[in-house]
Amino acid sequence: MIAYIVRRLGLIVPTLFGIMVLNFVIVQFAPGGPVDQLVAQLTGAETDATARISGVQREVGAAQAAGQTGSRQGEGAYRGRRGLDPQLVEELNRLYGFDKPAHERFFQMVVNYVQFDFGTSFFRDTRVVDLVIEKLPVSISLGLWSTLIIYLISIPLGVAKAVRDGTRFDFWTSSAIIFGYSIPGFMFAVLLIVIFAGGSYLDWFPLRGLVSNNWEELSWPARIADYFWHLTLPLTAIVIGGFATLTMLTKNMFIEEIGKQYVITARAKGLSEKRVLYGHVFRNAMLIPIASVPELLIDILFTGALLVEIIFSLDGIGLLSYESVINRDYPVVFATLFVFSLLGLLINLIRDVAYVLVDPRITFERAP
């Protein structure tokens, strides 16, 4: 098992490299890079992002006063850049490293990533690693807690439905599951806000942030209570829309295992139903649900929590990555992609180890 873990850890490096190569190539063909984004903002209304290039503007203005600047760009330039001094555009390209060929920029990025240096955000003027560290706890909180709660609900409910298959309990719980599955999580989020967060009825829960503004001043028990107070509605929205698939998967796996010969033999030997279910059936039936942990967690981190973060004003890494794609903030795009990919690969390794812990008959050692 140790040799398998070492091999998998060794494969993480080339896998990450391949992911970064593929996405770097795709980004090169994406229209409207960060320079064009800033040029559009520079020629339009003043925004916070234009403060990032105020120093460049001053330098170009001084050069113009000294008679050092050239003529305006020609008609062949990108339309949004017409009317801007070419030296300003050159300075912007140099500022973001686009004055170098693509292959040089990529290999420089790889060298920096080996040193865990993700660069500086184009539009936030902040180190990317600081941004990721700042936003990651929010997304990790949503992902881990919602996954844990979904499993704590789905596994017992799936087992209960399998044991009571065809009964009224199975019918009514299936109806509730179908209802929860048919409505997206963000719709539940809006409904919860309207009912419980001061929308139209009750004002029991906060609407913004992961903790209160005075969290630092609270005692530790009060901090924990405040943290879960803010998480209640977002987690509820994610869990309601996420437990249906796992519940039905658990039920179907238990029903399939209950009908097998070894269960009939165990019952014939006089074992109690509880011993049969949790001593024999559970281990075999839980293999696929355990294998679903990475997919569920990554799905929540990538998609499920994104709109929930926006609705509840939770400034997590999902929202950060979405904004960085919209703004063509490439350092943040690649850094968040790198973090998500690394987490996904590590979680898949943990899944395989959990396979062996649940069923020792499974082995990843090579056959002699």
Side-chain angles (χ1 to χ4, degrees):
M1 188 63 183
I2 295 178
Y4 172 77
I5 294 176
V6 172
R7 289 198 303 270
R8 286 289 299 273
L9 290 174
L11 286 173
I12 288 178
V13 175
T15 303
L16 284 175
F17 182 81
I19 292 173
M20 299 309 293
V21 169
L22 179 61
N23 284 274
F24 187 86
V25 172
I26 293 175
V27 163
Q28 301 311 304
F29 294 98
V35 173
D36 294 330
Q37 294 276 334
L38 278 178
V39 167
Q41 294 174 2
L42 180 62
T43 55
E46 185 73 17
T47 63
D48 292 338
T50 58
R52 176 88 165 95
I53 59 173
S54 59
V56 177
Q57 289 178 283
R58 287 193 295 269
E59 291 177 7
V60 174
Q64 288 175 328
Q68 297 174 359
T69 56
S71 60
R72 300 290 185 183
Q73 274 189 285
E75 290 299 314
Y78 168 63
R79 186 176 61 184
R81 301 180 184 180
R82 294 173 186 173
L84 288 179
D85 194 285
Q87 186 172 340
L88 174 59
V89 177
E90 290 177 6
E91 287 294 330
L92 291 176
N93 282 317
R94 181 186 59 80
L95 180 65
Y96 295 132
F98 290 103
D99 57 333
K100 300 177 182 177
H103 67 278
E104 290 186 16
R105 286 187 279 118
F106 175 75
F107 284 109
Q108 183 60 51
M109 183 184 71
V110 171
V111 171
N112 292 337
Y113 274 35
V114 170
Q115 306 172 49
F116 291 95
D117 177 10
F118 300 119
T120 302
S121 170
F122 289 165
F123 291 87
R124 297 173 185 255
D125 199 18
T126 305
R127 293 175 65 237
V128 175
V129 66
D130 294 334
L131 283 174
V132 172
I133 292 174
E134 178 187 352
K135 313 298 184 184
L136 194 57
V138 176
S139 297
I140 292 296
S141 294
L142 290 175
L144 290 181
W145 284 116
S146 56
T147 301
L148 176 62
I149 295 172
I150 286 173
Y151 268 80
L152 289 177
I153 294 175
S154 299
I155 300 303
L157 182 59
V159 174
K161 287 176 64 62
V163 174
R164 298 173 178 83
D165 185 37
T167 63
R168 301 176 84 181
F169 171 82
D170 182 41
F171 172 78
W172 287 111
T173 53
S174 295
S175 300
I177 289 172
I178 293 172
F179 176 77
Y181 183 74
S182 63
I183 301 179
F186 72 89
M187 292 294 293
F188 277 114
V190 174
L191 179 63
L192 292 173
I193 289 175
V194 171
I195 297 177
F196 297 108
S200 300
Y201 299 96
L202 305 174
D203 191 8
W204 290 354
F205 296 96
L207 183 59
R208 299 177 61 86
L210 194 61
V211 293
S212 300
N213 294 330
N214 64 336
W215 190 78
E216 298 277 347
E217 303 171 4
L218 301 176
S219 62
W220 275 109
R223 289 184 181 185
I224 296 173
D226 181 78
Y227 170 72
F228 284 106
W229 183 45
H230 282 75
L231 275 180
T232 299
L233 294 186
L235 288 181
T236 302
I238 296 174
V239 169
I240 289 177
F243 78 99
T245 302
L246 184 61
T247 300
M248 298 307 297
L249 177 63
T250 302
K251 174 191 173 182
N252 294 334
M253 291 302 300
F254 264 82
I255 290 178
E256 180 182 349
E257 292 295 324
I258 287 173
K260 291 186 177 180
Q261 183 62 43
Y262 74 90
V263 176
I264 299 174
T265 303
R267 286 171 174 166
K269 290 181 178 180
L271 295 180
S272 65
E273 190 67 17
K274 185 175 181 180
R275 177 71 182 277
V276 171
L277 282 177
Y278 295 101
H280 294 77
V281 175
F282 187 83
R283 175 176 294 179
N284 296 324
M286 287 306 298
L287 289 177
I288 294 182
I290 286 178
S292 302
V293 172
E295 289 80 3
L296 178 62
L297 180 57
I298 295 300
D299 181 64
I300 291 174
L301 288 175
F302 272 104
T303 58
L306 176 58
L307 291 175
V308 172
E309 286 181 12
I310 297 173
I311 292 171
F312 288 99
S313 299
L314 298 174
D315 197 7
I317 196 170
L319 180 58
L320 174 67
S321 61
Y322 172 76
E323 292 177 345
S324 64
V325 171
I326 296 299
N327 293 323
R328 303 297 192 270
D329 197 347
Y330 292 156
V332 180
V333 171
F334 288 121
T336 53
L337 174 68
F338 180 86
V339 170
F340 276 130
S341 300
L342 182 59
L343 286 176
L345 292 170
L346 291 176
I347 290 173
N348 275 297
L349 177 58
I350 295 173
R351 176 201 63 183
D352 291 344
V353 174
Y355 263 140
V356 178
L357 295 178
V358 173
D359 190 349
R361 294 173 300 176
I362 297 177
T363 178
F364 294 104
E365 303 297 330
R366 294 177 177 175

